[in-house]
Amino acid sequence: MKLSFVVPCFNEQGNVGNFYKRVEEVFRNSKYSYEYIFVNDGSKDQTYEKLKLLVNIYTNANIKVINFSRNFGKESAMYAGLQASKGEYVVIIDADLQQDPAYVVNMMKAIEEEPSYDSVAAFQENRHEGKILKTFKSWFYHLINRISEVEFVDGASDFRLLRRNMVDAILALPERNRFSKGIFSWVGFKTLYMPYEVHDRVNGQSSWSFWKLFRYAVEGFVSFSMTPLRIATFFGLVFSLLAFLYLVFVVIQTICFGIQIAGYATIICLILLIGGIQLFCLGIIGEYLARNYIEAKQRPIYVVKDIISTRED
Ligand code: UDP
Ligand code: MG
């Protein structure tokens, strides 16, 4: 097997069929032998039924569908897909056709021509996103690259082609908190960055909300959700901000109207400020502790309900 397509699917009933057709269009007459690993990540729609249909109809194709018992997230789906893949090369690609399978041909060409590269990552030169989101993302990358030991490339997505040795290295990392962008760069190897245009989603909607992205970003910094601990962080920030605003107010009030009760305002401001900062720091420690707790439990990264395939193995 030359190439494996690892396709995480969450509520993609309108896309999986088209995705399969598009890949066939591009690859049927290519020199590569290839397989599909679809991971149904607890979809609430008819995705699984559609995938089942593919397996039942295209019996000559090499299709495997891993059906999760619930939604475990794209990271877990990718991990399961990588584990099941047999190809010499593996490409991780979304089911929504935002990432045109035609690029995979170029990626394959590039990696075959350049044996020194172990991975080809597609990155978006021009993001089709709102200004605010773009700004936040660029802040995120700026900050994370300053504080982190590994490099994060702005615009690089999970759309990647990996050589087997890199797949094995990724699979060897057993952590539950899987922040793939970090994992890809932590394992090292040589990555070629290839620009690509993201297409609009054909069907369904993106499962990324702003809040989800925020959480993903925190994951990146601290490398799951322990919401109460995060609330401590949140309160810390809010109180710090309120105290700061009050501080500014008191300074202006003092300048304009003089001191009313000596020292009172300063003490209140300081108590709030220090309290806020303490909660904030406690929150950060909590983030790490929470991850430690999750890792210590050693739960599996995903749970499979069933697997269907066109091939027996
Ligand atoms: N996905 C998944 N599990 C999830 C969320 C998303 O497997 O919990 C899949 C989804 O089906 C798609 C890919 O991950 O194939 C990217 O998701 P999405 O299109 O929502 O993200 P975006 O393209 O907006 O970054
Ligand atoms: Mg998408």
Side-chain angles (χ1 to χ4, degrees), residues 12 15 74 94-99 198-203 205-208:
E12 303 281 7
N15 295 321
K74 187 182 176 189
D94 291 355
D96 55 15
L97 284 171
Q98 281 188 279
Q99 304 165 341
V198 175
H199 296 260
D200 287 337
R201 222 173 203 286
V202 183
N203 279 300
Q205 45 176 271
S206 169
S207 42
W208 288 100

Side-chain angles (χ1 to χ4, degrees), residues 55-71:
V55 169
N56 292 335
I57 297 173
Y58 303 106
T59 44
N60 287 328
N62 202 332
I63 308 173
K64 187 174 223 168
V65 177
I66 301 169
N67 190 27
F68 280 2
S69 62
R70 65 167 170 87
N71 179 255

